[in-house]
Amino acid sequence: MTQTALVVGASGIVGSAITQLLLDNQWQVAALSRSPSQVPGVIPISADLQSPATVQQALTALKPTHVFITTWSRQATEVENIRVNAAMVRNVLDAVRPTGSVQHVALVTGLKHYLGPFENYGKGSLPQTPFREDQGRLDVENFYYAQEDEVFAAAEKDGFTWSVHRPHTVTGVAVGNAMNMATTLAVYASVCKYTGRPFVFPGSRVQWDSLTDMTDARQLAQQQLWAATTSAAANQAFNITNGDVFRWQWMWGQIADYFGLAPAPFPAAPAPLERQMADDQATWNQIAAQYGLKEADISRLISPWHTDADLGRPIEVVTDMSKSRQLGFTAYQASDQAFFDVFDQLRDARLIP
């Protein structure tokens, strides 16, 4: 029987990675996003996830066996995040219900499950690191919980299995993505190289000194596919990282070396990227023109606010992956190479010089 996947948010970092992996494994793939997919071999579907009627109409003829939900929409408050993002999940699952074809739904959330939403990020009473899946929900409103609850309710009604995947910061390539640390750092390093500015770490001393981890989008895709096709993984939530740990004081040097820079010493005063890069559009225009880059709008490439939020945390963030390891998921990705692979892709696509 042919497996048919519906990838929701297929144009994003996570969605594009799972789309490619499914194609590589000979799945039929329908890619849902606001703009129709240009990936060869996929069924392009365009829909506004906040419009139930639009989603219903777009998915009427589709009979997916598996649904991979990899998108979210950032709102001004967590109350609005909950309302909008829960509705997006509900609209998709309502739209695919009539065919009765869905066997499994995979939902991608993240470590804000343990750290709290942006409004309360890393504040209050937090679970002890490393974060483990059996640590309960925080006593705060969180749109990740609302998304999970939509999946759980639909699974109970429709009889499909589910999996939830909680990555740390995801590295990958997707222009216009709202959470894009690797590309943000690549653009920042390129600006520093071009202007001669020091390559200054924008985060906290804790992040500079402490152990941490990351998630390559390809690693996340592999876990999603594994969970969707492994009966022992049904109806469970999993952390997902690359499988190694590092300190940013080391990784900063690795990234600097890739771009031919000297890493600056840890700054005496905070140096967030939102401030460092606030006026870099004009410089990026010059770089794009000189090197013939395909994207001159720097805002389409960088997300300083998100990179600052991750690198500015005042607590150690390390993730435990024992649960999926014990069930047989053994994929691994070195985090420095994950960064280098993104940088190589960006250069090959002429998005950075």
Side-chain angles (χ1 to χ4, degrees):
M1 177 181 174
T2 301
Q3 304 283 51
T4 301
L6 169 63
V7 179
V8 182
S11 62
I13 292 175
V14 177
S16 58
I18 185 62
T19 295
Q20 188 59 56
L21 182 62
L22 293 168
L23 289 172
D24 291 345
N25 282 270
Q26 285 74 56
W27 284 51
Q28 185 177 55
V29 181
L32 191 159
S33 61
R34 276 186 174 271
S35 302
S37 173
Q38 304 298 316
V39 178
V42 307
I43 303 167
I45 300 175
S46 179
D48 178 359
L49 292 178
Q50 297 184 42
S51 168
T54 302
V55 177
Q56 189 80 43
Q57 183 178 13
L59 299 179
T60 296
L62 192 70
K63 295 183 178 180
T65 56
H66 295 70
V67 179
F68 297 87
I69 302 174
T70 69
T71 190
W72 72 291
S73 177
R74 187 188 184 202
Q75 305 298 311
T77 66
E78 194 61 18
V79 170
E80 278 298 289
N81 274 332
I82 290 169
R83 183 186 67 81
V84 169
N85 289 284
M88 288 164 57
V89 173
R90 183 169 61 252
N91 292 342
V92 169
L93 298 181
D94 284 350
V96 298
R97 175 170 297 118
T99 66
S101 62
V102 177
Q103 301 169 15
H104 185 86
V105 172
L107 172 68
V108 177
T109 60
L111 293 195
K112 287 191 292 297
H113 183 93
Y114 310 107
L115 289 163
F118 287 118
E119 290 180 7
N120 299 288
Y121 200 43
K123 299 176 183 177
S125 179
L126 299 175
Q128 187 177 40
T129 56
F131 297 136
R132 293 181 169 85
E133 298 92 341
D134 61 1
Q135 293 166 330
R137 293 179 174 184
L138 300 176
D139 188 21
V140 295
E141 292 185 316
N142 190 323
F143 82 86
Y144 283 170
Y145 306 159
Q147 287 183 308
E148 286 183 344
D149 289 342
E150 293 293 341
V151 172
F152 300 159
E156 185 173 354
K157 181 183 296 184
D158 301 333
F160 57 73
T161 59
W162 55 265
S163 57
V164 174
H165 305 267
R166 299 170 184 161
H168 196 169
T169 302
V170 178
T171 56
V173 176
V175 175
N177 192 273
M179 295 162 52
N180 199 338
M181 178 189 285
T183 302
T184 299
L185 294 181
V187 171
Y188 172 55
S190 299
V191 169
C192 289
K193 183 72 176 290
Y194 185 80
T195 61
R197 279 161 42 185
F199 187 56
V200 179
F201 182 69
S204 70
R205 186 87 214 191
V206 172
Q207 291 304 304
W208 182 254
D209 290 336
S210 300
L211 289 173
T212 191
D213 45 33
M214 299 279 289
T215 306
D216 188 305
R218 298 166 298 184
Q219 175 85 339
L220 173 53
Q222 289 189 68
Q223 193 193 59
Q224 290 177 84
L225 179 56
W226 166 80
T229 56
T230 302
S231 58
N235 303 329
Q236 297 193 59
F238 298 104
N239 293 331
I240 174 64
T241 59
N242 291 333
D244 63 356
V245 294
F246 62 88
R247 289 182 173 85
W248 270 105
Q249 59 181 265
W250 173 81
M251 185 66 81
W252 201 246
Q254 303 306 300
I255 295 173
D257 187 62
Y258 179 96
F259 287 97
L261 295 165
F266 186 83
L273 288 181
E274 274 204 299
R275 188 172 69 221
Q276 288 195 60
M277 303 188 76
D279 300 318
D280 281 343
Q281 179 61 70
T283 301
W284 192 251
N285 287 339
Q286 297 171 14
I287 295 172
Q290 180 171 331
Y291 292 95
L293 303 184
K294 290 185 177 179
E295 183 55 72
D297 183 355
I298 198 171
S299 69
R300 296 266 297 152
L301 297 172
I302 65 172
S303 53
W305 67 271
H306 181 260
T307 299
D308 287 343
D310 275 7
L311 297 183
R313 288 181 299 220
I315 57 171
E316 176 188 77
V317 179
V318 182
T319 314
D320 180 75
M321 277 188 59
S322 298
K323 186 177 181 181
S324 61
R325 296 299 193 210
Q326 289 169 347
L327 292 175
F329 179 74
T330 59
Y332 168 86
Q333 169 65 55
S335 293
D336 55 342
Q337 190 61 52
F339 273 113
F340 302 156
D341 288 350
V342 170
F343 302 155
D344 288 346
Q345 290 179 62
L346 293 171
R347 279 184 169 165
D348 290 345
R350 288 170 49 212
L351 291 169
I352 62 171

